Amino acid sequence: MVRSRSALSSYIDRLLSEGRSVFTAAQAEDELGITHRSFLDASERLQRSGKLIRPRQGFYVVVPPQYASWGAPPPTWFIDALMRWENEAYYVALLKAAELHGATHQAVMQFQVVCGKRLPEIRAGRSLIVFYFRRAMAPPVAGVENRKTDTGTMKVSSAALTALDLLRYPQASGGIDNVSTVLAELAPAIEPDELASLSARTERSVVQRLGYLLDWIGADRLAQPMLDALLSKSPLRWTELEREARDPDFASDLPLQDPKWRIVAHRPPEPDL
């Protein structure tokens, strides 16, 4: 057992020296020539000593010395390998993607990922990886970019796709006020033509809410191509800005109605600018 633990410890040191930070149980057992039971005993000891984490059964991440106090390397080091292990399409999304595009007004507490499978969240040291389900992963593919990381690459939503997702998952985005704040910082990175193209493959109510907020923060150059794309298909139906239950203490006596986007707002957005 001691020999297996020593062999596994040397194995993960070698991985780090080669710029690698992840491996599977099957890979380690094959390369080291040890049994599954011996591997489990050795890996559990290394996990207790803070040198390994196991985000999913059979999938391991090495904790390099510089991240020992964090309990794990940042998710950017292993999210792509993890999702390949899960055999799921994915992209880093929402507030985390907005941060990567320069919207850094507020600290992002979660590492948010959109994928085509309902997955439980993962606690990896200081980081909490949260997954948001999207049944159809094909429509947003055009808005997914490859972003370099310290250990390879990961898939990240473009600024345009990020903006749409902020309205598609408003609770994950901190609500309409926070979304407005993030959009104001994100807007300079958004390409109008890409946004209009992606909008054509997104729920119309989501596009209407985004267009209304873009107008609200003065990003007309982005909003108008979206509106033209929507109206080229069919007239808009009225929809509410906030889907979630409203707090009557914060609701206006008379709702705000925007005939351009056919949006009903029970209170004006309040971005923190």
Side-chain angles (χ1 to χ4, degrees), residues 6-56:
S6 176
L8 184 57
S9 182
S10 297
Y11 174 71
I12 66 176
D13 287 343
R14 177 165 61 83
L15 290 182
L16 287 178
S17 71
E18 295 172 352
R20 299 163 58 192
S21 59
V22 303
F23 65 94
T24 67
Q27 288 172 334
E29 291 163 18
D30 181 60
E31 291 194 40
L32 296 175
I34 58 177
T35 66
H36 185 57
R37 181 69 261 170
S38 295
F39 169 79
L40 289 179
D41 288 340
S43 64
E44 286 170 6
R45 288 178 178 272
L46 290 175
Q47 287 176 73
R48 287 197 295 270
S49 66
K51 295 183 178 180
L52 277 183
I53 62 168
R54 188 188 66 176
R56 289 284 189 259

Side-chain angles (χ1 to χ4, degrees), residues 93-95 106 110 112 114 132-134 161-183 202-203 205-210 213 239-246 263 267:
L94 300 162
L95 297 177
Q106 297 180 356
Q110 299 177 349
Q112 297 169 314
V114 167
Y132 294 92
F133 175 66
R134 181 166 191 152
L161 178 56
T162 300
L164 288 163
D165 278 347
L166 290 171
L167 274 299
R168 199 170 193 269
Y169 304 91
Q171 293 305 311
S173 307
I176 291 298
D177 293 339
N178 193 58
V179 170
S180 301
T181 302
V182 175
L183 285 175
T202 303
E203 300 92 328
S205 59
V206 169
V207 180
Q208 287 172 251
R209 294 181 185 113
L210 176 58
L213 289 181
T239 189
E240 293 196 10
L241 178 62
E242 297 180 85
R243 292 179 296 176
E244 65 272 16
R246 298 180 302 276
I263 285 290
R267 65 178 182 87

Side-chain angles (χ1 to χ4, degrees), residues 89-107:
Y90 83 98
Y91 56 89
V92 179
L94 300 162
L95 297 177
K96 186 60 186 179
E99 179 185 70
L100 293 170
H101 287 294
T104 57
H105 184 80
Q106 297 180 356

Side-chain angles (χ1 to χ4, degrees), residues 44 78 125 134 136 160 166 172 194 201 210 253 261:
E44 286 170 6
F78 60 86
R134 181 166 191 152
L166 290 171
E194 182 190 5
R201 287 165 278 175
L210 176 58
D253 292 335
W261 290 100

